[in-house]
mmCIF file of all heavy atoms in Angstrom:
data_model
loop_
_atom_site.group_PDB
_atom_site.id
_atom_site.type_symbol
_atom_site.label_atom_id
_atom_site.label_comp_id
_atom_site.label_asym_id
_atom_site.label_seq_id
_atom_site.Cartn_x
_atom_site.Cartn_y
_atom_site.Cartn_z
ATOM 1 N N ASN X 1 -1.195 12.497 36.421
ATOM 2 C CA ASN X 1 -0.700 13.584 35.562
ATOM 3 C C ASN X 1 0.558 13.134 34.763
ATOM 4 O O ASN X 1 1.493 13.867 34.549
ATOM 5 C CB ASN X 1 -0.307 14.812 36.392
ATOM 6 C CG ASN X 1 -1.505 15.416 37.125
ATOM 7 O OD1 ASN X 1 -2.570 15.593 36.490
ATOM 8 N ND2 ASN X 1 -1.399 15.716 38.367
ATOM 9 N N GLY X 2 0.449 11.929 34.249
ATOM 10 C CA GLY X 2 1.564 11.371 33.432
ATOM 11 C C GLY X 2 2.814 11.079 34.184
ATOM 12 O O GLY X 2 3.939 11.213 33.672
ATOM 13 N N GLU X 3 2.676 10.493 35.378
ATOM 14 C CA GLU X 3 3.815 10.158 36.174
ATOM 15 C C GLU X 3 4.820 9.225 35.436
ATOM 16 O O GLU X 3 5.966 9.394 35.534
ATOM 17 C CB GLU X 3 3.375 9.466 37.471
ATOM 18 C CG GLU X 3 4.531 9.029 38.384
ATOM 19 C CD GLU X 3 4.092 8.381 39.672
ATOM 20 O OE1 GLU X 3 2.884 8.424 39.982
ATOM 21 O OE2 GLU X 3 4.981 7.805 40.377
ATOM 22 N N PHE X 4 4.288 8.327 34.695
ATOM 23 C CA PHE X 4 5.176 7.313 33.999
ATOM 24 C C PHE X 4 5.188 7.560 32.473
ATOM 25 O O PHE X 4 6.275 7.309 31.901
ATOM 26 C CB PHE X 4 4.680 5.910 34.326
ATOM 27 C CG PHE X 4 4.768 5.579 35.770
ATOM 28 C CD1 PHE X 4 3.676 5.165 36.467
ATOM 29 C CD2 PHE X 4 5.986 5.742 36.475
ATOM 30 C CE1 PHE X 4 3.708 4.841 37.784
ATOM 31 C CE2 PHE X 4 6.022 5.399 37.854
ATOM 32 C CZ PHE X 4 4.963 4.979 38.547
ATOM 33 N N GLY X 5 4.162 7.975 31.851
ATOM 34 C CA GLY X 5 4.270 8.272 30.506
ATOM 35 C C GLY X 5 4.189 7.104 29.574
ATOM 36 O O GLY X 5 4.510 5.952 29.977
ATOM 37 N N SER X 6 3.788 7.306 28.318
ATOM 38 C CA SER X 6 3.713 6.287 27.268
ATOM 39 C C SER X 6 4.189 6.840 25.946
ATOM 40 O O SER X 6 3.893 7.980 25.639
ATOM 41 C CB SER X 6 2.281 5.761 27.134
ATOM 42 O OG SER X 6 2.194 4.893 26.036
ATOM 43 N N THR X 7 4.941 6.038 25.189
ATOM 44 C CA THR X 7 5.453 6.464 23.942
ATOM 45 C C THR X 7 4.812 5.687 22.786
ATOM 46 O O THR X 7 5.344 5.647 21.661
ATOM 47 C CB THR X 7 6.956 6.289 23.870
ATOM 48 O OG1 THR X 7 7.318 4.967 24.071
ATOM 49 C CG2 THR X 7 7.675 7.227 24.844
ATOM 50 N N LEU X 8 3.712 4.982 23.003
ATOM 51 C CA LEU X 8 3.126 4.169 21.998
ATOM 52 C C LEU X 8 2.726 5.033 20.720
ATOM 53 O O LEU X 8 2.782 4.500 19.599
ATOM 54 C CB LEU X 8 1.848 3.450 22.479
ATOM 55 C CG LEU X 8 1.216 2.439 21.564
ATOM 56 C CD1 LEU X 8 2.205 1.253 21.370
ATOM 57 C CD2 LEU X 8 -0.100 1.952 22.127
ATOM 58 N N ASN X 9 2.353 6.281 20.932
ATOM 59 C CA ASN X 9 2.025 7.187 19.844
ATOM 60 C C ASN X 9 3.240 7.517 18.978
ATOM 61 O O ASN X 9 3.082 8.109 17.900
ATOM 62 C CB ASN X 9 1.351 8.437 20.355
ATOM 63 C CG ASN X 9 2.152 9.211 21.345
ATOM 64 O OD1 ASN X 9 2.867 8.660 22.106
ATOM 65 N ND2 ASN X 9 2.128 10.561 21.233
ATOM 66 N N GLU X 10 4.442 7.278 19.459
ATOM 67 C CA GLU X 10 5.665 7.504 18.604
ATOM 68 C C GLU X 10 5.844 6.197 17.862
ATOM 69 O O GLU X 10 6.590 5.381 18.083
ATOM 70 C CB GLU X 10 6.839 7.785 19.554
ATOM 71 C CG GLU X 10 6.676 9.056 20.376
ATOM 72 C CD GLU X 10 7.759 9.268 21.341
ATOM 73 O OE1 GLU X 10 8.776 8.564 21.331
ATOM 74 O OE2 GLU X 10 7.605 10.199 22.196
ATOM 75 N N THR X 11 5.053 6.087 16.771
ATOM 76 C CA THR X 11 4.837 4.871 16.096
ATOM 77 C C THR X 11 6.099 4.275 15.435
ATOM 78 O O THR X 11 6.250 3.041 15.248
ATOM 79 C CB THR X 11 3.751 4.980 14.992
ATOM 80 O OG1 THR X 11 4.241 6.008 14.040
ATOM 81 C CG2 THR X 11 2.442 5.480 15.620
ATOM 82 N N ARG X 12 6.991 5.191 15.027
ATOM 83 C CA ARG X 12 8.231 4.675 14.379
ATOM 84 C C ARG X 12 9.180 3.997 15.258
ATOM 85 O O ARG X 12 10.223 3.471 14.815
ATOM 86 C CB ARG X 12 8.875 5.844 13.607
ATOM 87 C CG ARG X 12 7.919 6.431 12.542
ATOM 88 C CD ARG X 12 8.617 7.413 11.606
ATOM 89 N NE ARG X 12 7.677 8.058 10.759
ATOM 90 C CZ ARG X 12 7.965 8.820 9.690
ATOM 91 N NH1 ARG X 12 9.217 9.059 9.410
ATOM 92 N NH2 ARG X 12 6.970 9.371 8.973
ATOM 93 N N ARG X 13 8.899 3.895 16.550
ATOM 94 C CA ARG X 13 9.698 3.138 17.432
ATOM 95 C C ARG X 13 9.763 1.648 17.115
ATOM 96 O O ARG X 13 10.666 0.909 17.477
ATOM 97 C CB ARG X 13 9.271 3.330 18.929
ATOM 98 C CG ARG X 13 9.668 4.655 19.476
ATOM 99 C CD ARG X 13 9.105 4.821 20.872
ATOM 100 N NE ARG X 13 9.537 6.038 21.530
ATOM 101 C CZ ARG X 13 10.560 6.260 22.319
ATOM 102 N NH1 ARG X 13 11.414 5.175 22.496
ATOM 103 N NH2 ARG X 13 10.889 7.356 22.803
ATOM 104 N N ILE X 14 8.700 1.151 16.418
ATOM 105 C CA ILE X 14 8.628 -0.271 16.099
ATOM 106 C C ILE X 14 9.230 -0.570 14.692
ATOM 107 O O ILE X 14 9.140 -1.695 14.227
ATOM 108 C CB ILE X 14 7.229 -0.881 16.264
ATOM 109 C CG1 ILE X 14 6.307 -0.360 15.162
ATOM 110 C CG2 ILE X 14 6.682 -0.594 17.586
ATOM 111 C CD1 ILE X 14 5.045 -1.172 15.076
ATOM 112 N N ASN X 15 9.785 0.491 14.049
ATOM 113 C CA ASN X 15 10.252 0.231 12.687
ATOM 114 C C ASN X 15 11.353 -0.785 12.607
ATOM 115 O O ASN X 15 11.561 -1.434 11.567
ATOM 116 C CB ASN X 15 10.727 1.578 12.076
ATOM 117 C CG ASN X 15 9.605 2.379 11.546
ATOM 118 O OD1 ASN X 15 8.386 2.055 11.708
ATOM 119 N ND2 ASN X 15 9.880 3.501 10.884
ATOM 120 N N SER X 16 12.174 -0.930 13.652
ATOM 121 C CA SER X 16 13.236 -1.956 13.614
ATOM 122 C C SER X 16 12.624 -3.318 13.456
ATOM 123 O O SER X 16 13.194 -4.149 12.839
ATOM 124 C CB SER X 16 14.079 -1.871 14.868
ATOM 125 O OG SER X 16 13.344 -2.081 16.010
ATOM 126 N N TYR X 17 11.465 -3.551 14.082
ATOM 127 C CA TYR X 17 10.807 -4.831 13.919
ATOM 128 C C TYR X 17 10.203 -4.973 12.499
ATOM 129 O O TYR X 17 10.322 -5.933 11.873
ATOM 130 C CB TYR X 17 9.707 -5.070 15.004
ATOM 131 C CG TYR X 17 8.955 -6.303 14.677
ATOM 132 C CD1 TYR X 17 9.458 -7.559 14.965
ATOM 133 C CD2 TYR X 17 7.614 -6.254 14.156
ATOM 134 C CE1 TYR X 17 8.735 -8.752 14.687
ATOM 135 C CE2 TYR X 17 6.910 -7.340 13.854
ATOM 136 C CZ TYR X 17 7.509 -8.613 14.094
ATOM 137 O OH TYR X 17 6.795 -9.799 13.816
ATOM 138 N N LEU X 18 9.505 -3.847 12.099
ATOM 139 C CA LEU X 18 8.844 -3.869 10.825
ATOM 140 C C LEU X 18 9.794 -4.103 9.602
ATOM 141 O O LEU X 18 9.370 -4.546 8.544
ATOM 142 C CB LEU X 18 8.086 -2.583 10.605
ATOM 143 C CG LEU X 18 6.990 -2.275 11.625
ATOM 144 C CD1 LEU X 18 6.353 -0.920 11.347
ATOM 145 C CD2 LEU X 18 5.960 -3.358 11.645
ATOM 146 N N THR X 19 11.072 -3.780 9.806
ATOM 147 C CA THR X 19 12.031 -3.980 8.754
ATOM 148 C C THR X 19 12.900 -5.231 8.980
ATOM 149 O O THR X 19 13.838 -5.492 8.194
ATOM 150 C CB THR X 19 12.960 -2.775 8.574
ATOM 151 O OG1 THR X 19 13.559 -2.417 9.861
ATOM 152 C CG2 THR X 19 12.051 -1.514 8.142
ATOM 153 N N ASN X 20 12.594 -5.990 9.976
ATOM 154 C CA ASN X 20 13.341 -7.196 10.258
ATOM 155 C C ASN X 20 12.942 -8.250 9.318
ATOM 156 O O ASN X 20 11.744 -8.622 9.213
ATOM 157 C CB ASN X 20 13.100 -7.656 11.766
ATOM 158 C CG ASN X 20 13.893 -8.814 12.163
ATOM 159 O OD1 ASN X 20 14.360 -9.590 11.313
ATOM 160 N ND2 ASN X 20 14.139 -8.979 13.436
ATOM 161 N N PRO X 21 13.849 -8.894 8.530
ATOM 162 C CA PRO X 21 13.527 -9.936 7.677
ATOM 163 C C PRO X 21 12.714 -11.141 8.296
ATOM 164 O O PRO X 21 12.029 -11.845 7.592
ATOM 165 C CB PRO X 21 14.818 -10.374 7.055
ATOM 166 C CG PRO X 21 15.765 -9.218 7.298
ATOM 167 C CD PRO X 21 15.257 -8.599 8.555
ATOM 168 N N GLU X 22 12.936 -11.293 9.588
ATOM 169 C CA GLU X 22 12.334 -12.406 10.290
ATOM 170 C C GLU X 22 11.030 -12.049 10.946
ATOM 171 O O GLU X 22 10.464 -12.784 11.774
ATOM 172 C CB GLU X 22 13.252 -13.073 11.244
ATOM 173 C CG GLU X 22 14.497 -13.636 10.629
ATOM 174 C CD GLU X 22 15.359 -14.355 11.604
ATOM 175 O OE1 GLU X 22 15.021 -14.445 12.829
ATOM 176 O OE2 GLU X 22 16.470 -14.872 11.208
ATOM 177 N N ARG X 23 10.464 -10.895 10.684
ATOM 178 C CA ARG X 23 9.172 -10.436 11.240
ATOM 179 C C ARG X 23 8.101 -11.346 10.795
ATOM 180 O O ARG X 23 8.165 -12.012 9.728
ATOM 181 C CB ARG X 23 8.916 -9.024 10.863
ATOM 182 C CG ARG X 23 8.559 -8.820 9.371
ATOM 183 C CD ARG X 23 8.429 -7.328 9.061
ATOM 184 N NE ARG X 23 8.086 -7.098 7.666
ATOM 185 C CZ ARG X 23 8.891 -7.028 6.617
ATOM 186 N NH1 ARG X 23 10.193 -7.205 6.910
ATOM 187 N NH2 ARG X 23 8.450 -6.736 5.415
ATOM 188 N N GLU X 24 7.042 -11.427 11.570
ATOM 189 C CA GLU X 24 5.861 -12.196 11.284
ATOM 190 C C GLU X 24 4.630 -11.328 11.387
ATOM 191 O O GLU X 24 4.634 -10.281 12.078
ATOM 192 C CB GLU X 24 5.756 -13.411 12.192
ATOM 193 C CG GLU X 24 6.906 -14.466 12.003
ATOM 194 C CD GLU X 24 6.907 -15.514 13.077
ATOM 195 O OE1 GLU X 24 7.405 -15.286 14.176
ATOM 196 O OE2 GLU X 24 6.311 -16.527 12.825
ATOM 197 N N GLY X 25 3.527 -11.738 10.721
ATOM 198 C CA GLY X 25 2.337 -10.932 10.708
ATOM 199 C C GLY X 25 1.468 -11.096 11.932
ATOM 200 O O GLY X 25 1.543 -12.022 12.691
ATOM 201 N N ILE X 26 0.640 -10.048 12.129
ATOM 202 C CA ILE X 26 -0.286 -10.032 13.265
ATOM 203 C C ILE X 26 -1.191 -11.269 13.302
ATOM 204 O O ILE X 26 -1.540 -11.778 14.401
ATOM 205 C CB ILE X 26 -1.154 -8.768 13.273
ATOM 206 C CG1 ILE X 26 -0.343 -7.535 13.560
ATOM 207 C CG2 ILE X 26 -2.349 -8.882 14.223
ATOM 208 C CD1 ILE X 26 -1.048 -6.236 13.419
ATOM 209 N N ASN X 27 -1.596 -11.733 12.125
ATOM 210 C CA ASN X 27 -2.504 -12.863 12.002
ATOM 211 C C ASN X 27 -1.853 -14.238 12.273
ATOM 212 O O ASN X 27 -2.561 -15.249 12.173
ATOM 213 C CB ASN X 27 -3.200 -12.843 10.659
ATOM 214 C CG ASN X 27 -2.170 -12.982 9.490
ATOM 215 O OD1 ASN X 27 -1.136 -12.369 9.553
ATOM 216 N ND2 ASN X 27 -2.552 -13.802 8.517
ATOM 217 N N THR X 28 -0.607 -14.330 12.595
ATOM 218 C CA THR X 28 0.049 -15.574 12.897
ATOM 219 C C THR X 28 -0.423 -16.029 14.280
ATOM 220 O O THR X 28 -0.427 -15.255 15.222
ATOM 221 C CB THR X 28 1.645 -15.362 12.951
ATOM 222 O OG1 THR X 28 2.063 -14.661 11.776
ATOM 223 C CG2 THR X 28 2.275 -16.699 13.047
ATOM 224 N N TYR X 29 -0.854 -17.281 14.316
ATOM 225 C CA TYR X 29 -1.367 -17.780 15.609
ATOM 226 C C TYR X 29 -0.255 -17.769 16.641
ATOM 227 O O TYR X 29 0.945 -17.987 16.391
ATOM 228 C CB TYR X 29 -1.812 -19.290 15.410
ATOM 229 C CG TYR X 29 -3.168 -19.400 14.695
ATOM 230 C CD1 TYR X 29 -3.630 -20.664 14.368
ATOM 231 C CD2 TYR X 29 -3.924 -18.315 14.312
ATOM 232 C CE1 TYR X 29 -4.851 -20.809 13.650
ATOM 233 C CE2 TYR X 29 -5.085 -18.433 13.611
ATOM 234 C CZ TYR X 29 -5.534 -19.723 13.272
ATOM 235 O OH TYR X 29 -6.775 -19.855 12.636
ATOM 236 N N PRO X 30 -0.585 -17.567 17.930
ATOM 237 C CA PRO X 30 0.360 -17.380 19.033
ATOM 238 C C PRO X 30 1.280 -18.659 19.237
ATOM 239 O O PRO X 30 2.406 -18.544 19.603
ATOM 240 C CB PRO X 30 -0.445 -17.090 20.275
ATOM 241 C CG PRO X 30 -1.811 -17.555 19.931
ATOM 242 C CD PRO X 30 -2.038 -17.412 18.430
ATOM 243 N N ASP X 31 0.743 -19.815 19.005
ATOM 244 C CA ASP X 31 1.532 -21.025 19.196
ATOM 245 C C ASP X 31 2.393 -21.290 17.985
ATOM 246 O O ASP X 31 3.222 -22.253 18.004
ATOM 247 C CB ASP X 31 0.571 -22.179 19.475
ATOM 248 C CG ASP X 31 0.008 -22.136 20.852
ATOM 249 O OD1 ASP X 31 0.785 -21.863 21.785
ATOM 250 O OD2 ASP X 31 -1.168 -22.424 21.048
ATOM 251 N N VAL X 32 2.185 -20.552 16.891
ATOM 252 C CA VAL X 32 3.055 -20.714 15.674
ATOM 253 C C VAL X 32 4.085 -19.689 15.628
ATOM 254 O O VAL X 32 5.193 -19.954 15.201
ATOM 255 C CB VAL X 32 2.119 -20.625 14.387
ATOM 256 C CG1 VAL X 32 2.927 -20.660 13.165
ATOM 257 C CG2 VAL X 32 1.030 -21.744 14.406
ATOM 258 N N VAL X 33 3.815 -18.458 16.097
ATOM 259 C CA VAL X 33 4.761 -17.371 15.945
ATOM 260 C C VAL X 33 5.988 -17.628 16.846
ATOM 261 O O VAL X 33 5.976 -18.254 17.828
ATOM 262 C CB VAL X 33 4.093 -16.034 16.426
ATOM 263 C CG1 VAL X 33 3.892 -16.004 17.960
ATOM 264 C CG2 VAL X 33 4.857 -14.827 15.892
#
């Protein structure tokens, strides 16, 4: 019954990363990122 909960649907929580000048794209290979 939601003992721990999830906030992934609060999408703007990742905006600090999305506006970071050093952000990288999803398609960047894991050994490169």
